[in-house]
Amino acid sequence: MTVLLRDLADTSAAVAGTPARLGKVGLLADVLGRADPDEAAAAVAFLSGELRQRQIGVGWATLREVPPPADSPTLRVGAVDATFDEIGRQSGAGSQAARRALLAELFARATAPEQRFLRQLLVGELRQGALEGVMVDAVARAAGVPAKDVRRAVMLRGDLGVVATAALAGFRLEVGRPVLPMLAQTADSVDAALAKLDASADNPAAVEWKLDGARIQVHRSGSDVAVYTRSLDDITARVPEVVEAALALPVTTAVLDGEAIALKPDGRPQPFQVTASRVGSRGDPAALRAATPLSPVLFDLLHLDGADLLDAPGSERAAALGKVVPESVRVPRVVAGTVAGASAAFAAALDRGHEGVVVKSLSTPYEAGRRGAGWLKVKPRHTLDLVVLAVERGHGRRTGWLSNLHLGARDPAGGFVMLGKTFKGLTDEMLRWQTERLAALAVDDSGWVVHVRPELVVEVAFDGVQTSPRYPGGVALRFARVLRYREDKTAAEADTIDSVRAIHAGTRLPT
């Protein structure tokens, strides 16, 4: 079925005059339901007040003089979109005249309401209240599918127009097209994670090692393999080890989720920066591989030989993964229904130098693009008592307060060693208190950074310690956040740089 531009113009005017959300959805769904799937992306873009091409070099000046309107509507949405494509392709000498000629031809075929709609569309003034949430619901109603499925597809594809095209024709995961990964929420402890998942001996959960590597998504179709990052960048050429591992699997088509990580000869992880540098490098892959080999470690299976597994429970996906991926390439995993069992897995992961564990419900589907409630990451919480060396003035909602703290560890040889900055964890009450307290300790004020006497001790939680040439001690805290001020401690009682370096090395100093 074909939709004319006049249909979109009339719908746009009707939507603008309808205050109720459900009314807007109904009007949009009606016109989208009559659109050919090939025209759906353009129709969604136009009704959202956008061009599918974003910019085509047409503004008010180009629209000052247009031909008189046509008497009857004949313009199809697909033809208008094709004209916009052609206008956008014009470049070089004579391109402005060519754009004007194409635009004049288009407007000559448009009726008065269509010309008005085109003007508003081309200059970005088409605002009738068809926001993305409304349009998602309209696409769902037009396609006769649940709105949650369309929302998930938008997360998978990142483009509502593409989703509308697929929804009106029926959509599914495509091997070779990356999807946004499922992410984990945070739990304070293994006990808390099991409790949140309502896990028990009768309802166990999976406990998987959490590796500090680079998230990868591996697509294989026959002899073709593509590897994508968490942000959906294609890194296939940079990770030949991952490609080889994928080609060795006894599958025809598959989409797998996992990590690529650089390991030491003893199997313990290299610092995260080593993995990140290797994955991000565009140098010669063979040379990089020889210097810093990567190990693929897979933990989920989204598609296998023509069958999508996104909606399958975690237990079913894990079983399928176990059948096609050898144990040496799978993340270590146990199924536990007791705190003792889960804690043993947590301890084993830490003992091998990894970040912690992810506790996963066995019944949860793969929630692409979401921080799903069925996955809970648990890390050990490191804490240190550090000294405030300086503080930066706040901006935005923190304007007028002293906010971002410069943190230092005590050097046994004398003085303090800076480890990084943080404003995380500070409540408004803490900000008010520290602004007054640090102002009294100020010794130098550059206008942005206020240096203070190193007297105030703060307890800081952090995820780990990383190598950092930015700071004089060569190390920095990862994801530091303030827990509380320790007015009961003096700077002479603060933790030392030796303690920080011991955490970085994965060892503990005697207490």
Side-chain angles (χ1 to χ4, degrees):
M1 190 179 298
T2 298
V3 171
L4 297 178
L5 184 66
R6 177 62 182 268
D7 297 320
L8 299 193
D10 291 345
T11 299
S12 176
V15 168
T18 303
R21 177 188 174 94
L22 286 178
K24 293 179 185 288
V25 169
L27 291 165
L28 293 166
D30 178 68
V31 72
L32 291 175
R34 291 183 279 120
D36 186 276
D38 292 339
E39 296 179 325
V44 166
F46 294 175
L47 288 169
S48 299
E50 301 174 346
L51 300 185
R52 194 178 52 80
Q53 301 80 2
R54 301 299 181 187
Q55 298 291 332
I56 60 172
V58 173
W60 273 115
T62 319
L63 297 170
R64 283 176 185 159
E65 296 182 10
V66 297
D71 295 328
S72 58
T74 60
L75 275 174
R76 292 165 40 204
V77 171
V80 175
D81 185 55
T83 299
F84 289 160
D85 269 338
E86 190 172 357
I87 291 173
R89 285 195 296 268
Q90 303 306 311
S91 63
S95 59
Q96 186 173 357
R99 280 195 292 269
R100 287 184 181 277
L102 289 165
L103 203 63
E105 181 181 353
L106 176 65
F107 270 74
R109 298 174 56 197
T111 62
E114 290 172 332
Q115 286 193 353
R116 186 163 51 251
F117 179 81
L118 287 171
R119 279 195 184 91
Q120 293 174 319
L121 179 63
L122 287 165
V123 299
E125 293 188 352
L126 190 66
R127 301 183 180 93
Q128 72 275 350
L131 301 176
E132 183 172 289
V134 172
M135 191 62 75
V136 164
D137 288 348
V139 169
R141 183 180 295 188
V145 298
K148 66 179 180 63
D149 290 349
V150 175
R151 282 191 288 272
R152 185 178 72 170
V154 172
M155 289 187 288
L156 294 175
R157 298 291 187 266
D159 186 318
L160 181 54
V162 172
V163 169
T165 300
L168 292 172
F171 54 71
R172 58 182 299 171
L173 182 152
E174 296 178 32
V175 178
R177 184 190 292 272
V179 303
L180 292 171
M182 181 174 176
L183 305 175
Q185 297 184 19
T186 300
D188 291 334
S189 64
V190 168
D191 309 40
L194 292 176
K196 189 169 184 179
L197 297 179
D198 197 25
S200 65
D202 296 327
N203 180 42
V207 185
E208 298 179 355
W209 289 12
K210 187 180 188 310
L211 311 185
D212 195 14
R215 187 76 174 265
I216 55 171
Q217 188 176 119
V218 184
H219 290 238
R220 176 178 165 187
S221 178
S223 60
D224 294 328
V225 174
V227 184
Y228 302 95
T229 66
R230 172 173 166 167
S231 56
L232 310 188
D233 296 317
D234 188 334
I235 57 167
T236 309
R238 304 180 210 169
V239 288
E241 305 98 318
V242 178
V243 173
E244 290 173 9
L247 288 173
L249 300 179
V251 302
T252 301
T253 60
V255 177
L256 303 114
D257 195 358
E259 302 261 350
I261 186 168
L263 299 173
K264 299 175 182 177
D266 64 359
R268 298 174 67 85
Q270 296 274 17
F272 173 73
Q273 297 98 314
V274 175
T275 294
S277 176
R278 165 62 205 280
V279 170
S281 177
R282 297 179 182 275
D284 175 45
L288 292 168
R289 179 179 186 172
T292 309
L294 286 176
S295 297
V297 185
L298 304 172
F299 54 72
D300 216 323
L301 184 60
L302 315 187
H303 176 96
L304 177 62
D305 290 337
D308 289 346
L309 301 176
L310 287 170
D311 294 322
S315 57
E316 185 177 323
R317 299 198 311 276
L321 183 76
K323 290 179 180 178
V324 298
V325 177
E327 186 177 3
S328 60
V329 188
R330 299 198 308 269
V331 71
R333 175 181 191 268
V334 300
V335 174
T338 65
V339 172
S343 296
F346 183 56
L350 297 182
D351 186 59
R352 292 296 293 165
H354 296 292
E355 282 195 308
V357 295
V358 181
V359 184
K360 298 182 177 181
S361 165
L362 296 179
S363 60
T364 299
Y366 191 92
E367 300 178 80
R370 294 188 59 195
R371 203 169 284 282
W375 287 11
L376 299 169
K377 58 185 176 183
V378 183
K379 301 179 184 180
R381 191 176 78 167
H382 300 288
T383 63
L384 290 170
D385 292 330
L386 301 175
V387 177
V388 179
L389 306 179
V391 62
E392 297 174 4
R393 298 189 184 280
H395 56 86
R397 66 174 296 273
R398 295 188 176 192
T399 299
W401 285 340
L402 296 178
S403 176
N404 202 17
L405 302 174
H406 294 207
L407 304 170
R410 181 167 55 87
D411 188 342
F416 299 90
V417 181
M418 186 172 173
L419 299 171
K421 312 174 186 179
T422 191
F423 57 82
K424 300 289 180 63
L426 293 171
T427 64
D428 287 355
E429 182 179 353
M430 294 171 75
L431 282 166
R432 283 190 290 268
W433 182 87
Q434 76 179 30
T435 296
E436 181 179 345
R437 186 77 174 83
L438 292 171
L441 295 174
V443 295
D444 181 68
D445 188 344
S446 69
W448 177 252
V449 178
V450 179
H451 291 271
V452 301
R453 294 197 302 275
E455 298 178 6
L456 194 59
V457 178
V458 61
E459 184 179 3
V460 175
F462 55 98
D463 286 0
V465 179
Q466 63 187 12
T467 302
S468 175
R470 181 177 181 181
Y471 296 111
V475 292
L477 304 185
R478 294 187 65 192
F479 306 113
R481 52 212 179 272
V482 174
L483 295 179
R484 57 176 174 155
Y485 278 100
R486 296 298 306 267
E487 292 186 277
D488 58 323
K489 282 195 170 187
T490 67
E493 297 174 285
D495 285 301
T496 68
I497 186 64
D498 294 335
S499 296
V500 179
R501 288 175 176 146
I503 295 172
H504 181 236
T507 61
R508 295 179 182 271
L509 290 181
T511 57

